[in-house]
């Protein structure tokens, strides 16, 4: 087994990011990426399994990072007592959004790929994944903070 040449993976990733940004996942070519990285498609396959593995190597850290921030904000908010949540919601939303936007701008090209170039990959529904998280937390919040139908009837 040959020893991987140092720096090749990084060069492949840089060339792949450029190709994916320019053409999107579907139209990007592993041959073009290999040629620009001065390597072979076999070298790409041995390091990243396939084109989607290469795309994932670029965007996965950013996607996971943003999801962690989003979940942390949700969990911290929902850990508050139910009667306190309405009073602190605006603060949590604002600080969570600030942190998320800072993160997106710190990884801007990765999010360009996630939002504009991921069609045909498992990342194409990234935004929908975040919406599902928000929906689940909102539903659970409403479920646990809403009065039961019996309580609402008794208060009349």
């Amino acid at each position: 087994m040959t020893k991987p040449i140092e720096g090749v993976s990084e060069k492949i990733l840089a060339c792949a990011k450029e190709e994916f940004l320019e053409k999107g996942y579907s139209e990007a070519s592993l041959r073009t990426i290999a040629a620009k990285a001065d390597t072979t498609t076999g070298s790409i396959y041995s390091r990243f399994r396939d084109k989607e593995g290469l795309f994932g190597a670029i965007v996965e850290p950013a996607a996971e990072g943003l999801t962690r921030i989003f979940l942390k904000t949700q969990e911290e908010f929902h850990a508050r007592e139910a009667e306190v949540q309405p009073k602190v919601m605006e603060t949590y939303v604002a600080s969570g959004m600030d942190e998320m936007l800072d993160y997106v701008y710190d990884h801007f090209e990765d999010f360009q790929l996630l939002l504009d170039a991921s069609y045909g990959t498992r990342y194409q529904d990234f935004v929908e994944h975040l919406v599902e998280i928000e929906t689940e937390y909102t539903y659970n919040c409403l479920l646990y903070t809403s009065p039961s139908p019996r309580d609402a009837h008794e208060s009349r």
Side-chain angles (χ1 to χ4, degrees), residues 47-129:
R47 286 174 170 81
F48 301 101
R49 195 180 74 247
D50 56 18
K51 186 163 83 166
E52 187 167 358
L54 177 57
F55 187 84
I58 297 167
V59 302
E60 180 91 20
E64 285 183 356
L66 186 67
T67 303
R68 271 193 309 275
I69 293 168
F70 189 56
L71 284 169
K72 177 185 70 118
T73 302
Q74 293 285 348
E75 290 168 4
E76 288 175 359
F77 174 76
H78 290 283
R80 303 295 301 258
E81 296 168 351
E83 59 274 357
V84 174
Q85 288 179 356
K87 297 173 188 158
V88 298
M89 183 181 293
E90 188 174 337
T91 302
Y92 273 91
V93 169
S95 67
M97 277 301 226
D98 287 346
E99 188 176 1
M100 289 173 60
L101 285 173
D102 287 344
Y103 188 84
V104 168
Y105 278 107
D106 288 345
H107 302 87
F108 194 77
E109 287 183 339
D110 299 334
F111 284 99
Q112 277 184 292
L113 291 173
L114 276 168
L115 300 175
D116 295 335
S118 63
Y119 182 77
T121 74
R122 65 187 182 100
Y123 302 95
Q124 72 182 15
D125 297 322
F126 176 69
V127 172
E128 287 79 4
H129 171 66

Side-chain angles (χ1 to χ4, degrees), residues 34 39-47:
T39 192
T40 65
T41 55
S43 176
I44 293 173
Y45 284 113
S46 69
R47 286 174 170 81

